[in-house]
Amino acid sequence: MDWTCWPALLTYPADMAAPRQVLAAGLTGVLLTSAGVITVAPSIHASQSDGLDVSVRGIAPLIPRVGSTLRVTGQITNLTDVSAQTVVVRLRLGTAPLAANDSEQVAEVVNEITEFAADSTQEPATRTVTAWTPVAATLDAGDQRPFSITLPVDAMQVSSPGVYVLGVEAFARTNTDGGNLTGVQRSLWPWFPEVDATSTKVKVAWLWPLVAPPAWNENDELLNDELPRALGPQGRLRALLDIGARYPNLLTWIADPALLQMVSNMRGGYLVKSDTGSRPGEQATDAATWLDELTSVLQSVQGRQPDPQNPVLYLLPYASIDASAARRADLGPDVVKAVTMGPSITAASVGLAASNTFYWAPGGLLDRQTAGLLASAGTRYVVLDPPRTDSNGQDPNGQESTGAAVRPFAPSVPGLLAVVPDPTIQQLLIEGTGDAESVLLTRQTFLALTALRMSTISTMSNKSTISTMSDVSGGPDLVLAPPIAGANSRVLAATLRATALAPWIDAVSLDQLVAQSSGGGFTYGPAGRDTELPSTYLERVRQTQQRLDRFAAVLGNPALIFEDFTQALLRAQSAAWRQQPLVGEELLTAVAADLDNRRSEIEVLNGRTVTLSGDSGRIPVTIMNSLDQPVTVGLRLVGDPRVRLTSDVVPAFTIAPGRTTSVDIPVRVAGSEPLRVSVQVLTPNGTVFRTAPVGTVYSAAYARAASWVIGLAFVAILIFVLVGIARRVLSAKRSRQAALRNDSVAGDDADESR
């Protein structure tokens, strides 16, 4: 293309209004705290209304030095429906660096960045550092063209170190009405050429959590494909491992032992629940590769540590249990179990010693009672989400809005440290997208914010004690972490690379950060309780656990069943189900149903009518053990109502696997009505394991008594009849005798009268 005709056009029109700019991702919502530290609420790249969209996608070198060459690359897009002519770009630089120790100046410059888009007449505090660079002679409507601006850093005439506003302006003309098209995008450019090993640095601890929702039952059958996808080539866990493997020594590696356990089990094949039952999983190789590579990375980190006894892997409680909810539901022992069981599971999965000292508080909140329980189980760090503030700068949940990255949780919970990831950079990681523009702007903002913090620390009069760092919000150190829910892998990779290369950053493990001597201020309140796993849900967990405990008590070898179900019930208490309640319900329902099916293999076969020959006798009870191990049970009969049946408890006896045993139990029955009788199958310590109907019992003793009564009544009636007959016969006889005597007397009287 012939550019010789352009020199006269490559002058920005003096009478042209300042172009309306496009806010970069990561820079729209910059706020200033009272301590003079910038907080950034990222947003996506927004189009401007003056026709040209400027997208900066590369700024190199990452850390500019004296004598280096600056290269800024990107893309220009014509957003209008007319053709743009003589499209050119140029570079602008802030007239002065952002001064982190001057709140008013920072506010002024930051406002110029964020508010310029709303006021096209406001002139930004920048100066031109390059001439116009040609992009395209013609740019049709909707078309895009790449651009590249290159110049020696020395030619930029940057007089003092600091963080500068860096902008790319685009300009073009139109043939329709002689109008102009413009566009601007701004970023941040740290310039600290003299920082070296002796300079004051910002300590940054990256937490690297490897977690996944534990959606698998006691048989390690997955409820869905979420975990296999996360381990696959494009998955979240795959990306975290790939990124972490590039900078393994910069990270504090943290894992959920339940995840390591399941991935290890998937190596030899696994099942996934389907509508028709179960189907074989297809990513066992991905699982094996992921776990092997993680083990290799951790072993390499362990080999480079000065003290090989220090753990290279820190553990969350098993299944990332919702500790606050579990404790409130009287499942505190499960919380302790989840904390303490992690090291042995991890050793079996990856063959490495690990420290069970982390708890990642769901929702970023933790109550003090649960904190004390966790601390008593060995937890040292509780990771809290960045404090949230309302429009007045107050935290609606009662947390402190400022404080050190690592500080005591509360005086009442000694030894437990609260770890608060930096809210500004955390928000960048959450909002950053994977396009080149967003990745670049997130990286540049990260570099700028850490450099500003370093600059502030360097200007303080006393650098030897942390207590003098109160002017730096959060202290001199930073804790960062990928969001548990996931962050864009390209954003994470770029930010981690910047951490490794920035000379003002000292990447350390969390244990190397110095905790502030004061802290606390964390409260829980309704905001925390309202997001816990529901109490009704956890009551079902508790009842299922009780049934499991009683089942285990009768088994000859409970470890074959008990451990799998116990871990499944811990997974049912995972904080992951706060966001996925239906999956949690599905898991708990499946585990409870499987447990009841196993319990039903100890079966009472009775269910018939029993007739006793008297008021006492024996009732036969038959128990079948369909399990593959012996069971030991006792028996007790109960009537309905109970007062009509008296029976002694049958002492515990053992039934071999696959065998049936019958026991005749002596009883005494009161009353003549039919009596419904059930049998209680007891654990060896006398607790009811299950109750099953025996049948209906009749007593023959009352039938014989009734026949005797009837017989005696018949005899009595017969005697009464006979007596009556005899009396009538006797009475008749007496009447006849009296009549005869009367007839005899009458005859004598007649004779005398004659």
Side-chain angles (χ1 to χ4, degrees), residues 456-473 475-476 516-517:
T456 301
I457 297 172
S458 299
T459 59
M460 304 187 72
S461 59
N462 186 351
K463 308 181 187 67
S464 61
T465 59
I466 293 178
S467 61
T468 65
M469 302 299 182
S470 58
D471 287 342
V472 183
S473 177
Q516 289 279 43
S517 59

Side-chain angles (χ1 to χ4, degrees), residues 620-669:
V621 175
T622 302
I623 305 291
M624 182 174 67
N625 174 21
S626 299
L627 294 169
D628 56 0
Q629 61 174 293
V631 298
T632 300
V633 297
L635 300 175
R636 177 171 57 210
L637 293 175
V638 293
D640 182 19
R642 287 176 174 265
V643 295
R644 290 190 53 200
L645 183 72
T646 303
S647 174
D648 293 332
V649 174
V650 177
F653 58 94
T654 299
I655 308 173
R659 301 297 296 273
T660 299
T661 299
S662 293
V663 180
D664 291 336
I665 304 176
V667 298
R668 181 176 295 276
V669 177

Side-chain angles (χ1 to χ4, degrees), residues 207 252 254 314-317 356-360 379 381 383 510:
L207 310 183
T252 298
I254 306 169
Y314 296 85
L315 301 178
L316 299 170
N356 56 333
T357 55
F358 267 85
Y359 181 67
W360 210 288
T379 301
Y381 298 113
V383 183
L510 187 63

Side-chain angles (χ1 to χ4, degrees), residues 603-608 610 619-623 662-663 679 692-695:
E603 184 180 3
V604 178
L605 298 180
N606 301 67
R608 58 182 183 272
V610 177
I619 297 178
V621 175
T622 302
I623 305 291
S662 293
V663 180
V679 60
V694 170

Side-chain angles (χ1 to χ4, degrees), residues 173-309:
R173 299 188 184 276
T174 63
N175 290 332
T176 55
D177 55 4
N180 300 320
L181 301 178
T182 62
V184 174
Q185 186 182 34
R186 296 182 180 274
S187 184
L188 296 172
W189 187 66
W191 170 248
F192 293 92
E194 297 180 358
V195 174
D196 55 26
T198 64
S199 303
T200 301
K201 297 186 179 184
V202 178
K203 290 184 178 180
V204 175
W206 274 94
L207 310 183
W208 210 248
L210 304 174
V211 297
W216 52 90
N217 64 15
E218 77 287 350
N219 297 318
D220 291 339
E221 179 187 51
L222 294 171
L223 302 186
N224 52 50
D225 283 310
E226 182 174 346
L227 178 57
R229 284 196 301 268
L231 298 168
Q234 306 301 320
R236 178 180 59 85
L237 292 172
R238 179 71 259 175
L240 284 174
L241 179 55
D242 288 343
I243 297 167
R246 300 176 207 166
Y247 312 98
N249 295 293
L250 300 186
L251 307 176
T252 298
W253 293 84
I254 306 169
D256 183 344
L259 170 65
L260 303 179
Q261 179 188 50
M262 186 60 202
V263 177
S264 178
N265 293 340
M266 291 171 64
R267 300 171 64 124
Y270 62 96
L271 296 176
V272 182
K273 185 179 179 181
S274 66
D275 295 336
T276 58
S278 299
R279 59 177 173 79
E282 300 176 353
Q283 292 177 264
T285 301
D286 290 336
T289 301
W290 187 88
L291 194 63
D292 288 344
E293 291 182 9
L294 174 63
T295 302
S296 177
V297 168
L298 295 177
Q299 288 174 341
S300 71
V301 174
Q302 189 175 50
R304 297 173 189 170
Q305 283 197 146
D307 184 357
Q309 299 303 316

Side-chain angles (χ1 to χ4, degrees), residues 440-460:
L440 172 74
L441 294 167
T442 300
R443 183 197 76 185
Q444 292 302 113
T445 306
F446 167 74
L447 287 170
L449 293 173
T450 53
L452 284 173
R453 184 172 294 237
M454 180 273 298
S455 179
T456 301
I457 297 172
S458 299
T459 59
M460 304 187 72

